[in-house]
Amino acid sequence: MADAIKESLDYIIHNKQIKTVFQPIVELKDGSILGHEALSRITCKSEIENPEMLFNIAGDYNRLWDLELLCRTTALEAAYKFMIPPYSKKLFINVNPNIMHDENFKKGFTKSFLNQYKITPKNIIFEITERNVIKDMTSFKSTINNYKNQDYQIAIDDAGAGYSGLNLISEVTPNYIKLDMKLIRDVDSDRVKFALVKGMVEFSKVSNILLIAEGIETYEELSTLVNLGVQYGQGYLIQKPNSEILEISQDFLAMLKEINLKKNITSQSLISNISIENLSTAIGTVSPNEMVPNIFDIFKHNQNCFGLCIIDNNVPIGIVTKENLSLKLSGHYGFSLNQNKKISHIMNKNFLSVDYKTPLSVVSSMAMARENDNLYDFIVITKNNKYLGVVTIKDLLEKTSEMKISSAKHQNPLSGLAGNAIIEQKLNECIENTTKYSVAYLDIDNFKAYNDVYGFENGDLVIKLLANILKNFVSENQFIGHIGGDDFVVIIKDHITDDYLKDIVIQFEHEVRSFYNEIDIQIGYIISNNRHGVREQFPLITLTCVVVNNKTEVYKNVFELTEMLAKLKKIEKSKLRIVI
């Protein structure tokens, strides 16, 4: 049997019995394609049943280098066929970490090697699986940094499938983390998986490492991932692997659009509604071929110039600050070592760049998560990946502080949501404008009884739970307000019905059970005094949602609109079981 397996391996490698199929990785906000993962498939009948078995056997027989070289070359050749127009997306290529710092790999995977396929290093992502044991972490980190400096990017594959993932992530600081399909499977119904992915999203925000969810197969999984804020996705629901590079289906794009309409992951607050383009200022830009002494002269003769952006075909590729350039040129040999170099050789390529529509609050978090050496560097703003301007840390901090002070004046202190003054203003805007709108009123049922039994501190936690769920479900261009107590309002710029809020109700009523003890959950009620002081059985907390819109009814004023909401709420409340 062993001989047959070895013969199959040798036959596959020698006769190049490998083909590449591509699976797209898409942005979960709009379905745009980030890139494709190149996956290898066996093209002949063989004792070796699948690619995973093939790579394991290649490792056993010391043929891993030969096999990986065949797979990489085949992937690049296959991608090249679809470069009309030239392929400009990211190409994700799986690489065994112990192969990656092999001298043969370093010599073979060069820019000149890629040039024949018309691919630039910045579009190559090395996927490193966490299941492969790295034998020499010091050398491996050196190799990773070497490739990063050449503009290659790194993804940690199968995160969540092994036991060394967090260590590998902390050592490598990758550009992407791919969440293993076993972690994604049933993430909508498995509380532990849900919590793990939610934690990874928080980590992603702080570390500025992007997440890719692998193996998405169901609408529910996709919806949950969008709701949690995972940036990218991959899986059969989006598109199965194919030997050709295909467009994303309109059915999937429509599905994703619907999910994002209901459950956009951007938090709702005043500061979140301000995009970074509002703070954009212009600074000098130079070519990467500009000589270092010329850059030094620019700073020397312009005392107000704090930095320059290096652009190539209007695309930012690096930055240089007056402080960092002075540091590099200082000392006994600093100037002499760098005076004949182009600025591209010493520019900072690890700069923070954000799209012009990125919320100010998100940019602030990303800026503060940088290493100390780069903490105060200016931030580059792009539009359609082209240079637009920059934002200084001073301007960012001043505007952030200003908006936080302004927000605090008008927000409910418990939930952080807009309070009554802004709610009334928004409702008046609805009445005065002729555009589509819907107003939803949300009220927590049996909240007073819960407060009486479990105390006000726990009651506050229930309020915060609903506030957070609303922030996660409602898109950034819609409005959420906290009237006070257990009453909330949501304003949507479209015509919706109660069904639009169904998922909010389901998630809230599911998660609120964690605020009860096991006995109350089992019996399904609590005992407390009613409003007349009589002991009574109250069901567990639920959520009532009612909606009005201007599709069939035109409201003359806010009072008329709120009266209708109150009437609908009373009807819905009357349907509840008051006593068990």
Side-chain angles (χ1 to χ4, degrees):
M1 181 67 179
D3 289 341
I5 290 291
K6 185 177 185 304
E7 286 178 10
S8 295
L9 174 65
D10 292 339
Y11 180 83
I12 290 170
I13 295 174
H14 184 265
N15 294 284
K16 299 182 179 180
Q17 295 296 304
I18 289 290
K19 73 171 182 178
T20 299
V21 292
F22 299 97
Q23 188 170 37
I25 296 166
V26 304
E27 189 166 350
L28 294 185
K29 282 187 178 180
D30 57 13
S32 58
I33 297 175
L34 170 69
H36 295 83
E37 181 178 359
L39 301 164
S40 297
R41 296 289 186 263
I42 303 168
T43 58
C44 62
K45 291 184 178 181
S46 174
E47 297 286 337
I48 301 173
E49 298 174 358
N50 54 59
E52 184 175 359
M53 181 180 176
L54 176 65
F55 279 92
N56 289 335
I57 291 169
D60 294 338
Y61 287 99
N62 200 28
R63 298 296 305 276
L64 200 53
W65 165 256
D66 299 322
L67 178 61
E68 289 219 357
L69 178 61
L70 171 61
C71 291
R72 284 194 303 276
T73 306
T74 305
L76 292 171
E77 289 173 349
Y80 181 71
K81 293 178 182 177
F82 300 100
M83 294 181 188
I84 306 172
Y87 180 82
S88 59
K89 307 297 183 183
K90 306 292 185 185
L91 188 62
F92 288 72
I93 297 177
N94 291 276
V95 180
N96 184 296
N98 295 309
I99 291 292
M100 195 175 182
H101 62 249
D102 187 291
E103 285 302 317
N104 291 323
F105 184 89
K106 292 179 182 178
K107 292 175 182 176
F109 219 102
T110 60
K111 291 185 179 181
S112 59
F113 172 70
L114 289 177
N115 280 341
Q116 60 184 305
Y117 301 107
K118 309 299 182 188
I119 299 178
T120 60
K122 69 178 182 180
N123 284 335
I124 292 290
I125 315 290
F126 292 131
E127 282 196 27
I128 305 163
T129 180
E130 72 167 55
R131 288 179 288 188
N132 293 117
V133 177
I134 298 171
K135 298 170 184 175
D136 184 351
M137 182 57 76
T138 302
S139 298
F140 180 66
K141 284 174 64 179
S142 176
T143 300
I144 289 293
N145 291 331
N146 173 55
Y147 280 107
K148 283 183 176 180
N149 290 334
Q150 295 180 62
D151 291 336
Y152 294 97
Q153 292 187 311
I154 306 297
I156 299 297
D157 194 15
D158 296 333
Y163 300 98
S164 59
L166 294 179
N167 289 332
L168 184 57
I169 289 166
S170 65
E171 294 283 358
V172 171
T173 56
N175 304 95
Y176 301 90
I177 295 174
K178 299 191 76 177
L179 302 177
D180 185 71
M181 63 176 64
K182 291 180 182 176
L183 184 60
I184 300 305
R185 189 66 59 252
D186 300 322
V187 67
D188 53 298
S189 56
D190 188 310
R191 294 182 66 182
V192 174
K193 291 180 179 180
F194 181 93
L196 285 170
V197 174
K198 186 177 182 180
M200 289 301 295
V201 170
E202 293 304 312
F203 170 77
S204 170
K205 291 177 182 176
V206 174
S207 65
N208 198 27
I209 298 173
L210 300 169
L211 300 180
I212 301 171
E214 295 186 292
I216 304 173
E217 293 187 357
T218 69
Y219 176 92
E220 290 75 20
E221 290 168 356
L222 177 67
S223 178
T224 300
L225 294 167
V226 171
N227 177 41
L228 285 173
V230 175
Q231 296 95 342
Y232 298 99
Q234 178 181 358
Y236 278 19
L237 182 67
I238 300 167
Q239 190 180 105
K240 293 182 179 180
N242 195 289
S243 56
E244 297 183 10
I245 292 175
L246 305 173
E247 296 294 328
I248 304 301
S249 75
Q250 290 302 312
D251 287 345
F252 174 79
L253 293 176
M255 179 196 306
L256 189 61
K257 183 178 180 180
E258 177 193 2
I259 291 171
N260 273 286
L261 180 64
K262 293 182 180 179
K263 312 173 188 177
N264 192 289
I265 47 79
T266 306
S267 296
Q268 171 77 27
S269 68
L270 293 178
I271 197 168
S272 294
N273 289 331
I274 298 178
S275 58
I276 196 65
E277 68 173 320
N278 291 288
L279 300 186
S280 177
T281 58
I283 64 168
T285 61
V286 295
S287 162
N289 296 319
E290 196 71 55
M291 301 304 292
V292 168
N294 295 340
I295 302 297
F296 180 77
D297 286 341
I298 293 174
F299 286 131
K300 183 178 178 180
H301 294 104
N302 187 351
Q303 295 300 313
N304 294 323
C305 181
F306 55 84
L308 298 167
C309 188
I310 293 86
I311 63 171
D312 186 10
N313 292 324
N314 211 27
V315 175
I317 61 171
I319 66 169
V320 58
T321 65
K322 179 187 290 187
E323 181 183 2
N324 286 339
L325 183 63
S326 299
L327 188 62
K328 287 183 182 293
L329 300 182
S330 63
H332 294 298
Y333 306 106
F335 193 85
S336 59
L337 286 173
N338 292 291
Q339 63 178 331
N340 295 319
K341 291 181 179 179
K342 297 176 180 178
I343 192 63
S344 58
H345 286 89
I346 64 171
M347 68 184 182
N348 177 11
K349 293 190 288 186
N350 187 31
F351 61 98
L352 178 57
S353 175
V354 297
D355 183 77
Y356 75 114
K357 287 297 184 184
T358 307
L360 188 143
S361 57
V362 174
V363 177
S364 180
S365 297
M366 293 168 69
M368 293 300 102
R370 293 182 292 182
E371 298 290 338
N372 288 338
D373 290 346
N374 305 115
L375 192 59
Y376 297 105
D377 288 352
F378 59 86
I379 300 156
V380 178
I381 305 171
T382 61
K383 183 176 182 179
N384 299 324
N385 295 319
K386 302 290 186 180
Y387 172 77
L388 181 67
V390 303
V391 170
T392 66
I393 291 299
K394 177 177 179 292
D395 289 343
L396 180 65
L397 291 176
E398 283 181 350
K399 179 55 72 172
T400 302
S401 298
E402 174 190 330
M403 293 310 301
K404 284 184 176 178
I405 292 170
S406 177
S407 296
K409 292 178 181 179
H410 301 286
Q411 287 178 341
N412 184 289
L414 177 60
S415 64
L417 295 171
N420 289 330
I422 298 179
I423 292 172
E424 185 172 354
Q425 175 189 330
K426 292 292 183 181
L427 290 175
N428 274 313
E429 288 175 7
C430 290
I431 300 298
E432 292 167 5
N433 296 331
T434 57
T435 54
K436 294 179 182 180
Y437 72 83
S438 297
V439 180
Y441 187 94
L442 300 94
D443 181 30
I444 301 175
D445 308 314
N446 304 310
F447 181 71
K448 181 183 181 301
Y450 178 87
N451 247 357
D452 291 343
V453 173
Y454 283 88
F456 290 105
E457 288 186 3
N458 285 312
D460 287 349
L461 292 177
V462 171
I463 296 292
K464 289 179 180 179
L465 171 66
L466 180 54
N468 289 333
I469 290 173
L470 289 172
K471 290 174 186 178
N472 286 337
F473 271 77
V474 179
S475 64
E476 61 178 329
N477 61 338
Q478 314 296 351
F479 174 80
I480 312 169
H482 186 180
I483 298 170
D486 58 328
D487 298 312
F488 293 79
V489 64
V490 175
I491 300 175
I492 304 294
K493 299 173 184 177
D494 200 355
H495 291 149
I496 66 167
T497 64
D498 297 357
D499 286 342
Y500 182 90
L501 305 170
K502 180 176 63 177
D503 290 337
I504 294 175
V505 175
I506 291 171
Q507 183 175 342
F508 174 74
E509 293 183 356
H510 171 71
E511 293 192 22
V512 80
R513 285 177 169 265
S514 65
F515 292 88
Y516 286 90
N517 61 46
E518 288 298 327
I519 294 175
D520 288 342
I521 292 175
Q522 288 176 10
I523 63 176
Y525 61 84
I526 57 177
I527 297 176
S528 179
N529 290 338
N530 63 21
R531 297 182 187 277
H532 305 290
V534 179
R535 300 291 283 174
E536 192 173 297
Q537 294 177 355
F538 290 87
L540 303 185
I541 281 175
T542 54
L543 184 64
T544 292
C545 301
V546 294
V547 176
V548 298
N549 60 51
N550 64 342
K551 183 176 182 179
T552 56
E553 186 76 26
V554 176
Y555 297 96
K556 298 177 183 177
N557 51 52
V558 172
F559 177 77
E560 201 173 272
L561 186 150
T562 53
E563 280 288 292
M564 176 57 70
L565 284 171
K567 180 180 178 181
L568 292 174
K569 187 186 81 165
K570 186 175 181 180
I571 294 171
E572 287 300 311
K573 291 276 190 181
S574 67
K575 298 176 184 178
L576 295 174
R577 292 175 295 146
I578 304 301
V579 180
I580 296 180

